[in-house]
Amino acid sequence: MEASIPVIDLLSPGSAGAIADACGSHGFFKAVNHGMDVGIVETLEAEAMSFFALPAGDKLSSSADLSNRLGYGCRNIGNNGDVGSVEYLLVSTVNSNSTMPIALCNALDEYMRIVQEVAGRVLVLMAEGLGMEDTDVFRGMVQRNGSDELLRVNHYPHSLRLEAPGSTGFGEHTDPQLMSLLRSNSVSGLQIALLDGTWLPVAPDAESVFINVGDVMQVLTNGRYRSVRHRVVAQAGEGVLSRLSMVYFGGPAPTQWIVPIPKLVRPLDLILYKGFWWDEYMTAARRTKLATCRLEPFLLQQLPARETPQSATVLLLNTTTATTPE
């Protein structure tokens, strides 16, 4: 049977169980009936495209008052030599930048508000799907004061792809946080890695959102949810449109202790990871290449993969994301 992306109706009575299955088998799913205001989404897309159309100097100067980690960037992904055919704007809920166009700032604020609401509901369903009594445990980590929530607007312009034909849009990696929520325009490019290592293209759908499981969620669930490896392939050729995506990253506060939740470690399971502080993890992550496996130094057990990638397989460990470089 040909592999496909799980599609989950967030308003369906069985959505929590379906999410648990998808997070175990793929670490990724498409969410429909998510309730995000289409007008707010389209406004941010329009303002972002206007921003990216500005001269390079204007884009750089408009983010000059942000830290080195935030603001506008082009081609360079992180500080360790990774590059892509991408320009981006990275902002945080706790940082403001009055030098950016006011309309863009307002659009970012409005989008962050609605995406936090949807992400919070998904995080509750993720906990419910695991049978947890405290279904607010994941949302509480992500959306309390001081948590590390980020929004990244990625633009893959035709001009950058023409300069370097065949280049990577955004190299393969997993997201460090608990979860990511992505919305894109109707231009393709996103791919996810399946359990057998093959890459599955994700058909764009501007009316839906896509959920990624991150590294922290894999640790908290002791491997029951898997952090999905993904990438963006740069499209080339005449007539190819620019891809625009908006990615919300739900991370915990710097002082959050990350360790497998005891209630999610079943009697016959081994504890797979040692604990770490979120700021410790992110500090280590920023020193690595994009494809490096950030979880590897925190592994306590290395279990063999099962023969059949059913949901029972990933209840123990997905070796493609936990034991090989990210």
Side-chain angles (χ1 to χ4, degrees):
M1 180 182 297
E2 185 177 351
S4 61
I5 300 297
V7 180
I8 298 173
D9 183 344
L10 295 187
L11 298 182
S12 169
S15 59
I19 285 174
D21 289 342
C23 290
S25 62
H26 290 71
F28 184 89
F29 63 90
K30 179 167 78 171
V32 299
N33 282 330
H34 47 75
M36 291 180 67
D37 188 310
V38 174
I40 291 175
V41 173
E42 291 178 344
T43 296
L44 176 55
E45 181 174 315
E47 294 299 334
M49 292 299 279
S50 295
F51 174 81
F52 288 124
L54 295 172
D58 292 349
K59 288 181 283 192
L60 286 169
S61 63
S62 71
S63 60
D65 63 331
L66 292 177
S67 69
N68 291 332
R69 182 174 163 228
L70 302 177
Y72 174 77
C74 184
R75 285 199 177 279
N76 293 323
I77 303 171
N79 302 315
N80 301 295
D82 291 298
V83 295
S85 297
V86 62
E87 59 178 346
Y88 60 86
L89 187 63
L90 183 65
V91 297
S92 169
T93 58
V94 296
N95 286 275
S96 61
N97 182 4
S98 58
T99 64
M100 286 197 303
I102 186 63
L104 175 59
C105 291
N106 291 338
L108 287 166
D109 288 342
E110 281 295 289
Y111 184 81
M112 182 66 85
R113 176 181 62 80
I114 64 170
V115 80
Q116 285 176 311
E117 293 176 2
V118 177
R121 286 196 283 117
V122 170
L123 287 164
V124 168
L125 291 170
M126 283 181 165
E128 184 180 332
L130 290 167
M132 300 194 68
E133 294 180 6
D134 180 10
T135 58
D136 203 45
V137 59
F138 301 140
R139 180 172 64 179
M141 287 185 189
V142 168
Q143 297 184 349
R144 70 181 177 91
N145 289 338
S147 60
D148 191 11
E149 295 177 276
L150 298 172
L151 181 64
R152 183 179 183 123
V153 183
N154 289 322
H155 181 225
Y156 302 88
H158 191 242
S159 58
L160 290 182
R161 295 194 298 271
L162 288 178
E163 291 174 17
S167 65
T168 300
F170 206 109
E172 64 175 274
H173 63 287
T174 59
D175 294 336
Q177 296 85 359
L178 277 81
M179 62 90 77
S180 308
L181 188 154
L182 176 144
R183 187 266 174 193
S184 75
N185 62 5
S186 297
V187 179
S188 62
L190 178 64
Q191 299 180 348
I192 66 167
L194 300 178
L195 282 169
D196 62 5
T198 60
W199 288 97
L200 177 64
V202 179
D205 183 347
E207 296 182 358
S208 303
V209 297
F210 297 89
I211 309 298
N212 291 12
V213 174
D215 294 346
V216 166
M217 184 67 79
Q218 179 166 308
V219 173
L220 292 171
T221 62
N222 201 44
R224 294 176 68 170
Y225 288 171
R226 77 178 189 96
S227 182
V228 62
R229 185 172 295 276
H230 53 287
R231 66 187 182 187
V232 174
V233 176
Q235 304 293 325
E238 292 298 326
V240 175
L241 300 176
S242 296
R243 175 179 168 84
L244 183 79
S245 64
M246 299 172 284
V247 192
Y248 162 87
F249 300 99
T255 55
Q256 178 69 53
W257 179 247
I258 308 298
V259 69
I261 297 173
K263 291 184 179 180
L264 296 181
V265 181
R266 294 162 302 182
L268 297 181
D269 287 349
L270 298 172
I271 295 176
L272 302 180
Y273 303 98
K274 61 183 178 181
F276 52 84
W277 303 104
W278 172 243
D279 61 349
E280 170 194 4
Y281 191 64
M282 284 307 297
T283 297
R286 294 187 192 109
R287 294 171 179 164
T288 65
K289 299 280 288 183
L290 187 64
T292 301
C293 180
R294 304 179 183 98
L295 284 179
E296 191 171 39
F298 301 94
L299 272 172
L300 292 174
Q301 310 288 342
Q302 185 167 329
L303 302 182
R306 305 274 183 91
E307 291 183 0
T308 306
Q310 303 295 332
S311 58
T313 306
V314 293
L315 294 186
L316 292 177
L317 180 63
N318 165 34
T319 55
T320 40
T321 57
T323 63
T324 58
E326 176 212 87

